[in-house]
């Protein structure tokens, strides 16, 4: 049976696969793809053998740096990237939670200054599995189940 | 921003703690040193804290500095909606140093990132109050002669009490401390601090009463057990008298033992203790002035 693509192939750029369906628009926002001038195509609620509904994003002519793409690790910890050149996959990459998280998550502490003024949040990642983030400002630890993406 | 700040007790190394202790002793021996002559210090108290403010202002006056600032946010532009960012930006153009008290946690760290001049955290919500910890260390070294080999009893609210958490972190830099935590289960020392001590191979013991073991203490650090911390008022009634230190309890305690308290006390130290030479909490408050003089001199490289 011929395999049919749900989202059209790109000539060159990046394919971000295995994004949880619920996180698609957060990934778009974190990577600022909503302001991207290049062609962006995405599909959501696609069948997956390993996930309960996945999303995929294809960005023409964009090649992300590790630091840039690792930003999505909090919302899409199993995301995989394929680098495409001339319709061929020339590189594969799995996201990794970085050691520091800047301005993606909110501090869970309602009395933290970051929840009262317009300030970028900064966290030191003190555990990657399960995720635990230590706020640079109030020094409290936000655990995975308390995490809210900005 | 390259200014040296004091925001969290973990900002200082063991060597810096010891330098502050030496400087504090120097200021205690000779308190009128006009090192801040011609300098302006802003004391920004976004919430009232009379004791801490007076202690800082005495330290600044003793050093010959001028003070600007406010004693609560109702007398500042905060009431007009000014952000902390803008207040700090503005004041750091006026002053050589900022001392800040703020009800929000992390506000001092943020202020230090915005400010062009050093910032001293005089308390940010329930987070940090590092100058209290340094004056506690100074009180310990003054009364015990050393910060090593101290058997430290911490009594009362160990769950929410930021002073005991910071003191624990600071004391863990020194040799062979023994920590005795005395608290009701509802207010026990949080696990993260116990894990921290374990990771450093340090000894701690937990108790719910301390009458039987009090004779082993070098320092008894009392804190308030606050009724409002208990979900059930009945639980408070059960423990409230267990944590009242009375003079008769001190009969067989060590000669070198001293009682500390960050103050204000309510009823956790009976007034009959006040006349006992082992009561040290008012001297401790006086030590705060010398310690704050030392911190200011250190941050501004005046000594």
């Amino acid at each position: 049976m011929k395999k049919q693509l749900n989202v059209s192939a790109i000539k060159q750029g990046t394919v971000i696969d295995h994004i949880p369906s619920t996180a698609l628009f957060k990934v778009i926002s974190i990577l600022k793809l909503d302001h991207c001038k290049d062609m962006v195509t995405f599909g959501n609620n696609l069948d997956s053998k390993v996930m309960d509904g996945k999303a995929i994003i294809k960005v023409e002519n964009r090649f992300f740096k590790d630091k840039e793409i690792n930003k999505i690790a909090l919302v899409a910890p199993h995301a995989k990237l394929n680098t495409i050149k001339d319709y061929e996959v020339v590189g594969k990459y799995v996201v990794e939670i970085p050691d520091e998280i800047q301005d993606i998550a909110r501090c869970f502490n309602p009395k933290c200054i970051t929840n009262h003024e317009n300030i970028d949040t900064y966290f030191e990642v003190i555990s990657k599995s399960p995720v635990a983030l230590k706020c640079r400002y109030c020094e409290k630890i936000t655990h995975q189940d308390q995490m809210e993406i900005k | 921003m390259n200014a040296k700040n004091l925001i969290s007790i973990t900002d200082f190394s063991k060597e810096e703690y010891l330098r502050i202790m030496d400087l504090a002793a120097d200021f205690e021996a000779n308190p009128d040193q006009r090192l801040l002559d011609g300098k302006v210090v802003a004391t920004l108290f976004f919430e009232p804290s009379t004791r801490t403010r007076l202690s800082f202002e005495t330290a600044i006056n003793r050093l010959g500095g001028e003070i600007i600032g406010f004693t609560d946010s109702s007398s500042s532009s905060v009431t007009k909606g000014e952000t902390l960012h803008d207040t700090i930006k503005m004041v750091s153009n006026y002053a050589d140093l900022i001392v800040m008290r703020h009800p929000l946690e992390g506000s001092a760290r943020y202020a230090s990132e915005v400010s062009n001049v050093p910032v001293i955290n005089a308390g940010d919500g329930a987070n940090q109050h590092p100058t209290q910890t340094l004056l506690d260390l100074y009180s310990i070294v003054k009364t015990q002669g050393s910060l090593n080999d101290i058997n430290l009893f911490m009594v009362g609210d160990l769950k929410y009490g930021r002073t005991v958490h910071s003191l624990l972190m600071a004391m863990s830099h020194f040799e062979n401390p023994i920590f005795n935590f005395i608290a009701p289960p509802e207010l026990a020392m949080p696990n993260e601090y116990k894990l921290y001590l374990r990771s450093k191979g340090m000894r701690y013991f937990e108790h719910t009463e301390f009458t039987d073991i009090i004779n082993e203490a070098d320092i008894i650090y009392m804190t308030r057990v606050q009724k409002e911390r208990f979900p059930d008022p009945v639980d408070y009634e059960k423990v409230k008298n267990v944590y009242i230190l009375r003079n008769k309890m001190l009969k067989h305690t060590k000669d070198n033992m001293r009682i500390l308290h960050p103050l204000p006390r309510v009823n956790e130290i009976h007034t009959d203790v006040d006349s006992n030479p082992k009561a040290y909490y008012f001297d401790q408050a006086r030590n705060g002035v010398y310690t704050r003089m030392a911190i200011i001199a250190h941050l501004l490289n005046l000594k």
Side-chain angles (χ1 to χ4, degrees), chain A residues 109 111 113 117 136-138, chain B residues 8 83-84 105-106 113 127:
Chain A
N109 175 11
K111 291 198 74 184
I113 186 75
E117 291 220 0
R136 178 199 284 188
Y137 296 101
C138 75
Chain B
S8 169
T83 60
L84 177 62
E105 293 157 24
E113 291 176 353
N127 186 33

Side-chain angles (χ1 to χ4, degrees), chain B residues 130-155:
Chain B
T131 62
Q132 173 71 46
T133 304
L134 287 165
L135 78 87
D136 291 341
L137 289 184
Y138 184 53
S139 299
I140 294 172
V141 79
K142 258 184 80 178
T143 59
Q144 308 300 313
S146 168
L147 290 164
N148 299 325
D149 304 307
I150 303 294
N151 191 338
L152 178 60
F153 279 46
M154 294 174 159
V155 186

